[in-house]
Amino acid sequence: RYTSQEKMLIDFLNSEYSAGLDKTSRCPALISKYCVLRLYRQLVSEAMKAARKAVLTALVTNTASAMATLRKSAMRSLGIVIEADVNLVREPSVEYVIQVRSLDDSALVRQMSLDLLGRLLARTQEAEDEEKGDEHDDNEEAERNDQNAALAAEILPGFIKVVRGRVADTSMMVRRKAIWILSRILVQQPADHPDVMPTCVELMKRVNDSEMIKKVVLDTFEKIFFSEARDAEPTEKRAMQFAKLVDAAARFVNQKDFVEDL
């Protein structure tokens, strides 16, 4: 049974958030980032489990709306909620939504899908920065952030193929976002990870897009194959991988200077 507060929340989501959005004249900003984030954090208690599920269901449902603007806003809000609770990405409905909306007809929706994964990536980056800065707070919030960062690092590799599918997107903004995400996921993986080489080749095929993308790709390859943080001495397998990459560059990239730089 729902409590009175849960009923109020569910009624709001079902009426104002869903039905009211069709009337553009009375539709100001959707649920704001801070509202969604604070709302979900209030719902993490077991006592509000039913309402928490209602929030997630409402957001997931709206990602399939006939209106592209609503799909985009629902994906943005879903990303904000996931930022507060990374565990939600393990939900089958959420994983499915990320995969499907990354193939959406609207470039803005596709970009929002990648932004959602970008939020997970930001979690892992924050944890790395804190480690380097030696900043450790002995409080519940810091512990939850560390747990979320560890979960994000574990979950992200599972979406490599989803993001890789957007490297050749028709939208330049989506392509750039996909390349940015992949470059950062790759440097966190062992060089012998099965997805590293196929993804490197896909990234390399986009270096003709712009000088910025070319620089990102070269920097990524340098970190993967020559970073001191990795093996001190290159292995035979690593050398063979890099040789294959140079060979692929000569075949797929119509830029002599890129092959020379590589």
Side-chain angles (χ1 to χ4, degrees):
R1 293 175 61 85
Y2 293 106
T3 64
S4 58
Q5 292 93 338
E6 289 170 353
K7 285 180 180 177
M8 287 174 61
L9 176 61
I10 293 167
D11 288 341
F12 170 76
L13 289 169
N14 288 337
S15 58
E16 296 296 322
Y17 184 66
S18 299
L21 289 173
D22 292 330
K23 303 171 184 177
T24 54
S25 60
R26 50 174 290 204
C27 174
L30 297 179
I31 300 177
S32 73
K33 171 180 177 178
Y34 303 103
C35 178
V36 173
L37 191 56
R38 293 187 64 181
L39 173 64
Y40 198 84
R41 282 180 174 172
Q42 290 298 316
L43 298 178
V44 294
S45 66
E46 189 65 24
M48 294 290 280
K49 185 176 180 180
R52 186 167 71 248
K53 186 175 181 180
V55 171
L56 183 61
T57 300
L59 291 176
V60 168
T61 299
N62 279 294
T63 62
S65 168
M67 299 169 58
T69 52
L70 182 51
R71 295 198 302 275
K72 182 191 77 170
S73 298
M75 287 303 296
R76 181 191 290 120
S77 295
L78 188 60
I80 295 166
V81 169
I82 286 172
E83 194 174 18
D85 185 0
V86 174
N87 258 314
L88 287 176
V89 182
R90 297 183 184 276
E91 291 284 337
S93 59
V94 174
E95 186 176 348
Y96 175 76
V97 160
I98 294 172
Q99 293 175 354
V100 171
R101 290 307 129 207
S102 70
L103 301 172
D104 198 274
D105 291 338
S106 168
L108 291 174
V109 177
R110 297 196 299 273
Q111 187 177 346
M112 280 299 115
S113 299
L114 295 184
D115 280 343
L116 188 154
L117 295 176
R119 289 178 185 275
L120 291 181
L121 195 59
R123 279 288 188 183
T124 65
Q125 192 62 54
E126 285 170 10
E128 288 177 9
D129 292 344
E130 283 181 9
E131 248 179 65
K132 290 175 184 175
D134 221 10
E135 297 174 8
H136 297 288
D137 297 322
D138 296 324
N139 55 50
E140 190 177 338
E141 182 71 19
E143 185 179 346
R144 184 164 60 245
N145 287 340
D146 289 343
Q147 290 173 348
N148 276 337
L151 272 172
E154 180 186 336
I155 291 167
L156 275 169
F159 287 97
I160 284 182
K161 291 181 181 177
V162 173
V163 182
R164 202 163 70 200
R166 296 298 92 216
V167 170
D169 197 275
T170 54
S171 165
M172 171 65 83
M173 294 302 296
V174 174
R175 291 201 300 273
R176 284 183 178 177
K177 191 71 179 181
I179 290 168
W180 180 84
I181 291 173
L182 286 175
S183 67
R184 279 152 182 77
I185 293 178
L186 285 178
V187 297
Q188 295 175 356
Q189 307 307 311
D192 58 355
H193 189 284
D195 285 323
V196 168
M197 284 303 294
T199 305
C200 283
V201 173
E202 288 300 320
L203 289 181
M204 191 168 53
K205 290 178 181 179
R206 305 312 313 178
V207 297
N208 291 324
D209 280 5
S210 70
E211 284 299 313
M212 183 193 75
I213 288 179
K214 178 181 174 181
K215 184 179 185 303
V216 168
V217 172
L218 283 172
D219 288 347
T220 301
F221 290 170
E222 183 174 357
K223 289 175 183 176
I224 292 173
F225 293 100
F226 301 104
S227 171
E228 291 181 4
R230 293 179 179 267
D231 298 338
E233 292 294 330
T235 62
E236 182 180 351
K237 184 174 182 179
R238 181 79 59 82
M240 287 299 295
Q241 285 179 322
F242 189 70
K244 288 178 181 178
L245 197 61
V246 174
D247 179 63
R251 288 185 287 117
F252 293 123
V253 182
N254 188 26
Q255 281 191 23
K256 184 180 178 182
D257 62 327
F258 174 79
V259 179
E260 291 173 351
D261 289 342
L262 187 58

